[in-house]
Amino acid sequence: MSKEKPSIPKGTRDFGPAVVVKRNYVFGVIRRTFEKFGYLPLETPAVEQLSVLTGKYGDEGDQLIFKILNSGDFLAKTKQADIDEGHKHLTRKVSEKALRYDLTVPFARYVVMNRNDITFPFKRYQIQPVWRADRPQKGRYREFYQCDADVVGTNSLLCEAEIVQMINEVLTKLGLTDFTIKINHRGILAGIAEAIGEKGREGDICVAIDKLDKIGKEGVRKELLERGISEKAVTKLEPLYSLEGSNKAVLDQLQTILGDTAEGQRGLKDLHEVWNYLSRLNSEALTAQNDSGNPRLLLDVTLARGLSYYTGCIFEVKVNNVSMGSISGGGRYDNLTRMFGLPGVSGVGFSFGVDRIYDVIEELQLFPDSSQVGTKALIVQFDRESELYALPVLQQLRDAGIASELYPEQAKLKKQMSYADQKSIPYVILIGSEEMASGKLKLRNMELGEQQDLTIDDIISQLK
RNA sequence: GUGGUUGUAGCUCAGUCGGUUAGAGCACCAGAUUGUGAUUCUGGGGGUCGUGGGUUCGAGCCCCAUCUUCCACCCCA
C-alpha cells in the first residue's frame, strides 16, 4: 500500500470548527437582513446544464466555468473531426453539465421554469457556494459562497434603494464603518460613449475606465487608444474622471454633458429616483460619513463591472483601507430571463462575498466574542460508578438548555481538565465519591479557578 | 490563460560555499502531582527536506518537470 499524501484542490479550503462558527455569524447577519426586507430563501443544484450557463458571462466567464466530464464513456460521441475543431467545440461533446458560476443565472432559470407558480414581484435570497476555475490569489478562491438577494418582475427603483439599505445594514451590523457603496448606471456609460462620439463602444470604454484606480489617467488613455477609441473622444472623456463635489453636483454636471443622449437621460432619471427613495427612507448611506469624510453612497462614473448582462444601475462595495477587492456587487438586468424564453421581466439584485467579508473582518479584528459558541459545562468522571451517576445529571443539564458533555472515558483528571481548558469550556462539574455521598456536586469556574459545592438544581440555575 | 513567488517536524521558521547524524521556538506525550486545567521544572516521541527525474564522489541547497502557496495581469465575490 503506497503512502498517499492527501490534499485538496487548488483554491479550495477546509474550514475548522472555529472558522465555521465565525462564518455562520456572518451568514446569520446577512440572512436576517434579507428576511427583514421580505426576501425568501431559494436553493438550486450545484450542477447546472452547461448550456444554461454558457454565454451569460461573456467569453472570459465561459472559460472560468468548471465543466463536468460526462459519465461513462465520455468519448462515445466524439470523432477525430471533433478533436480537430478545437477545445471549444470538443467541450460540448464531452461535457453536458457544469458547476454553477454564480447564483443569478440559476435564479433566472428557476424563475422561467416556475413562472406560472411565482407571484411577481418575486423576492428571493440564496446563500450557496459557487465555483470558478480562476487562478487563486488574495480574496479569490475557486470555491466560495455568494449571498444573493434579487427581485424580479418589477422596474421599481425602490428595489435599488433597498439594496443600498441592505448593504449598509449588513456591513454596519458586522462592525464595519469605513466602506463605500459605489453606484453607476449602464445608461450613463452608454450616454458618455455617445456624447464623446463613440456610440455603442461603451463596452471597450468601460473596461478601460474601470481601471482608473489602478493604472491612472495615462494608463487608461493608452488602453482606450489601443482599443480603437479616437484621440478626440478620449480627450473629451477625460474631464469625467475628475468630476468633483457632492453626488448631487456630479449629477448636475452629468446632466450638462449627457443631456441630449437618450441613454444618458435614462440613467440620470433612474439615479435621481434612487436618491429620492433613499432620502425618504432617511438612509444612513446618504447621511453617515466615512473616515475619509465622503458619504457611504458614492456616484462613480468610472464604475463599469464586467458581467455583460447588466442594463441599469450597477453597484460595487469596497471596504476602505484594506487590501481587498470588492466584497459585494450587483445591478439591474432586463434581459436575463429572455435568454430562457421569458422576455419582459426585469430583475435587480446583488451579492455579498462572504469569504472576502470574513477575511476583512478578521483583518480588522471585528469578530465579537459572542460569535463563539460551544460547550458550557463538562462533567468529569472518575470511575464506572460516577459515570452512571453523571448520566441523569447530564440529561438534566441538556433538558435545561445548557450545552454540556460528559467526558466519555475514565481518563486521568488532568487530561479531562485539560480537555475543558482547550475547548474553552467555562465550567467543569466534578462527580466523585464525596460528591455522590453528599449530593453536592463540585462546580469549577475554569476562568477564575474557583469552585463551589452545589446541588444539581443550583448548578442549573447558575449556568442558565 | 500570462508573468513572478513559495514549499524543511502538527504550527511558525533557521539551515553559511554543495560536505559527517537536518535544528530552534511553540504544540504534543509522559513524569514531578493516585481528586484539579491554564503558570513552573524534568524527560520523550516526531522529518522520504512538496513530489518525480537529473547533475555530482556527495544535494535541503544546483538543473528540469509537476503539484501547492502567495502576488500581479486578465477578469471577478
Side-chain angles (χ1 to χ4, degrees):
Chain A
M1 210 170 79
S2 68
K3 267 188 282 183
E4 182 189 322
K5 254 190 186 169
S7 64
I8 55 175
K10 190 198 297 204
T12 65
R13 297 148 302 155
D14 288 321
F15 301 111
V19 175
V20 172
V21 166
K22 288 194 275 188
R23 284 170 63 89
N24 284 344
Y25 157 75
V26 177
F27 284 128
V29 169
I30 292 171
R31 178 177 292 112
R32 284 191 293 277
T33 303
F34 285 165
E35 289 178 353
K36 197 160 81 178
F37 279 75
Y39 291 78
L40 293 171
L42 175 73
E43 291 190 18
T44 63
V47 179
E48 291 279 349
Q49 306 288 14
L50 181 55
S51 58
V52 165
L53 303 184
T54 45
K56 311 299 187 297
Y57 310 108
D59 282 344
E60 293 271 0
D62 285 354
Q63 301 276 326
L64 299 178
I65 295 170
F66 269 110
K67 286 107 186 163
I68 295 172
L69 206 53
N70 289 342
S71 330
D73 181 3
F74 56 86
L75 285 176
K77 299 173 194 161
T78 328
K79 299 191 180 76
Q80 184 62 42
D82 295 317
I83 297 173
D84 294 342
E85 274 199 64
H87 74 277
K88 279 188 183 172
H89 171 83
L90 190 61
T91 298
R92 289 197 295 274
K93 294 280 178 178
V94 299
S95 169
E96 290 164 359
K97 292 176 285 300
L99 294 174
R100 64 165 165 256
Y101 177 89
D102 73 353
L103 301 177
T104 309
V105 167
F107 171 55
R109 174 199 50 76
Y110 173 87
V111 169
V112 173
M113 287 178 67
N114 296 277
R115 64 179 100 175
N116 295 322
D117 304 319
I118 289 173
T119 307
F120 293 100
F122 180 53
K123 300 169 87 170
R124 85 84 173 81
Y125 75 85
Q126 190 169 351
I127 299 178
Q128 289 190 279
V130 302
W131 294 268
R132 294 185 187 177
D134 225 351
R135 189 172 290 199
Q137 55 178 285
K138 177 153 192 168
R140 176 174 301 187
Y141 307 99
R142 288 185 144 185
E143 178 184 60
F144 62 97
Y145 268 76
Q146 288 195 328
C147 306
D148 271 41
D150 288 78
V151 46
V152 295
T154 172
N155 292 307
S156 169
L157 289 147
L158 174 61
C159 303
E160 275 84 341
E162 288 195 339
I163 285 173
V164 173
Q165 293 291 80
M166 286 190 282
I167 292 171
N168 184 72
E169 174 161 335
V170 165
L171 299 186
T172 304
K173 281 220 166 105
L174 291 172
L176 295 167
T177 53
D178 192 5
F179 57 87
T180 300
I181 305 169
K182 293 182 187 174
I183 186 171
N184 196 11
H185 195 287
R186 278 284 159 92
I188 300 277
L189 293 164
I192 289 173
E194 187 177 344
I196 63 170
E198 294 281 357
K199 189 173 180 179
R201 300 296 306 280
E202 62 264 26
D204 282 313
I205 295 171
C206 284
V207 171
I209 64 177
D210 194 42
K211 296 179 195 164
L212 187 64
D213 283 351
K214 267 187 202 165
I215 59 178
K217 192 171 160 183
E218 282 310 309
V220 172
R221 183 182 188 88
K222 196 170 157 230
E223 175 143 359
L224 283 167
L225 293 173
E226 275 169 11
R227 285 172 181 271
I229 306 297
S230 76
E231 190 155 0
K232 193 177 151 202
V234 174
T235 306
K236 272 180 95 173
L237 184 64
E238 283 176 345
L240 285 168
Y241 304 164
S242 47
L243 285 180
E244 289 291 326
S246 65
N247 289 313
K248 189 87 180 70
V250 173
L251 279 172
D252 288 346
Q253 292 172 70
L254 284 173
Q255 185 68 45
T256 314
I257 301 168
L258 312 176
D260 48 3
T261 67
E263 278 293 284
Q265 279 296 353
R266 181 173 73 92
L268 287 168
K269 184 164 162 285
D270 282 359
L271 289 173
H272 272 118
E273 186 79 352
V274 172
W275 250 267
N276 286 340
Y277 277 119
L278 286 171
S279 171
R280 285 294 290 176
L281 288 164
N282 194 25
S283 173
E284 241 184 37
L286 300 183
T287 56
Q289 297 260 307
N290 275 335
D291 298 359
S292 58
N294 289 317
R296 284 179 179 166
L297 184 64
L298 185 70
L299 173 57
D300 180 356
V301 296
T302 69
L303 172 64
R305 291 191 59 74
L307 286 179
S308 48
Y309 50 66
Y310 292 124
T311 52
C313 286
I314 46 182
F315 305 96
E316 195 161 288
V317 182
K318 177 90 182 63
V319 177
N320 300 314
N321 300 315
V322 293
S323 57
M324 178 63 72
S326 62
I327 57 166
S328 177
R332 180 171 286 275
Y333 41 89
D334 285 332
N335 300 319
L336 204 47
T337 57
R338 180 157 73 193
M339 293 175 158
F340 300 121
L342 180 63
V345 179
S346 181
V348 61
F350 75 112
S351 182
F352 286 114
V354 172
D355 304 82
R356 286 187 175 180
I357 291 174
Y358 180 96
D359 289 346
V360 167
I361 296 181
E362 187 77 335
E363 184 178 334
L364 298 176
Q365 300 182 348
L366 292 174
F367 276 113
D369 292 340
S370 59
S371 63
Q372 305 294 323
V373 295
T375 305
K376 187 121 188 230
L378 174 77
I379 304 179
V380 163
Q381 60 164 313
F382 292 85
D383 47 31
R384 181 69 178 161
E385 197 189 344
S386 81
E387 180 185 34
L388 293 174
Y389 187 99
L391 289 169
V393 175
L394 178 65
Q395 193 56 45
Q396 281 183 72
L397 286 166
R398 288 178 178 164
D399 287 345
I402 297 162
S404 41
E405 53 185 308
L406 169 64
Y407 196 87
E409 48 190 76
Q410 286 126 41
K412 282 186 183 169
L413 193 49
K414 182 185 171 101
K415 189 169 170 68
Q416 300 189 51
M417 298 293 287
S418 151
Y419 172 81
D421 187 46
Q422 285 179 16
K423 262 186 100 172
S424 298
I425 297 173
Y427 293 95
V428 165
I429 297 166
L430 293 101
I431 304 180
S433 52
E434 294 167 26
E435 288 79 12
M436 284 187 281
S438 67
K440 293 215 167 177
L441 312 182
K442 204 150 256 153
L443 178 68
R444 180 176 178 86
N445 180 320
M446 294 294 279
E447 198 192 342
L448 303 175
E450 294 166 353
Q451 46 196 43
Q452 314 165 255
D453 297 315
L454 296 170
T455 63
I456 179 61
D457 291 336
D458 288 341
I459 289 176
I460 286 172
S461 60
Q462 188 164 331
L463 297 191
K464 227 169 176 178

